[in-house]
């Protein structure tokens, strides 16, 4: 089973700060997922990436396949970015995903 | 296009009762899955299906049953509810398997077993 570690577990920042959330995994993968879970509970897929970098608005996701590491960056953070951010990776050779425990981000106005 | 629809949103059961959590998607996705989310733990896979008529167990299948008679629907049945099944349940679908396609989640069902 692919082991997934996210850091930090909790992050509080002031509005406007640059945010970085990290995800490391143990086994080589085809793609890594970043998800966002708002306080209301719904989960939304942000990115799926297998190499390099992807950008959507103020969110940027990068992945280093050799180092088995991915980062999620938020530029010009805003209170509405407050959520739990979760990374997930597939287990090699099967259909199942392993999820990290999430990073709880709080942006203070 | 509603995406993934889960019902109910909240449910309280007594120990030993049974119930079915409903999940439906209108995106013609082959892959559907059920997860439970508990405090301090990542989402854990209960059961999944790669197409109509095909289901398989995930990481924590005990106490749950599934079936997939149509592409659209993937209900999760609790056979005899136990307090350990108190959790938030999410249904998800994707067009591909093995984590190679984006996941679409339902809004979750918060289940309490007393």
């Amino acid at each position: 089973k692919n082991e997934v570690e996210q850091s930090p577990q909790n992050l509080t920042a002031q509005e406007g700060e640059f945010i970085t959330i990290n995800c490391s995994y143990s086994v080589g993968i085809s793609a890594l997922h970043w998800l966002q879970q708002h306080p209301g509970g719904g989960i939304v897929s942000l990115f799926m990436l297998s190499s390099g970098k992807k950008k959507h608005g103020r969110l940027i996701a990068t992945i280093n396949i050799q180092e088995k590491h991915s980062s999620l960056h938020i530029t010009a953070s805003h209170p509405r970015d407050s959520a739990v951010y979760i990374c997930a990776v597939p287990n090699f050779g099967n259909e199942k995903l392993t999820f990290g425990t999430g990073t709880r981000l709080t942006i203070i106005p | 296009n509603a995406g993934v629809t889960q019902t109910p949103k909240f449910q309280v059961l007594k120990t030993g009762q049974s119930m079915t959590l409903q999940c439906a998607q209108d995106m013609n996705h082959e892959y559907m899955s059920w997860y439970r989310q508990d405090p301090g733990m990542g989402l854990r896979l209960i059961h999944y299906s790669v197409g109509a008529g095909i289901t398989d167990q995930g990481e924590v299948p005990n106490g749950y049953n599934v079936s997939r008679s149509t592409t659209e629907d993937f209900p999760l049945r609790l056979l005899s509810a136990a307090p350990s099944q108190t959790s938030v349940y999410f249904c998800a679908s994707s067009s591909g398997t093995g984590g190679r396609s984006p996941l679409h989640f339902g809004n979750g069902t918060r289940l309490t077993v007393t």
Side-chain angles (χ1 to χ4, degrees), chain A residues 9 13-14 42 50 58 65 73 79 81 88 91 93-94 102:
Chain A
Q9 284 190 314
Q14 294 287 334
S50 53
R58 294 179 294 104
I65 297 293
H73 306 285
D81 297 325
N91 290 309
N94 64 39

Side-chain angles (χ1 to χ4, degrees), chain B residues 65-88:
Chain B
N65 259 2
V66 292
S67 59
R68 184 99 180 266
S69 54
T70 66
T71 299
E72 294 78 21
D73 299 298
F74 190 45
L76 177 73
R77 280 180 285 277
L78 278 70
L79 309 171
S80 176
S84 60
Q85 293 179 304
T86 293
S87 187
V88 182

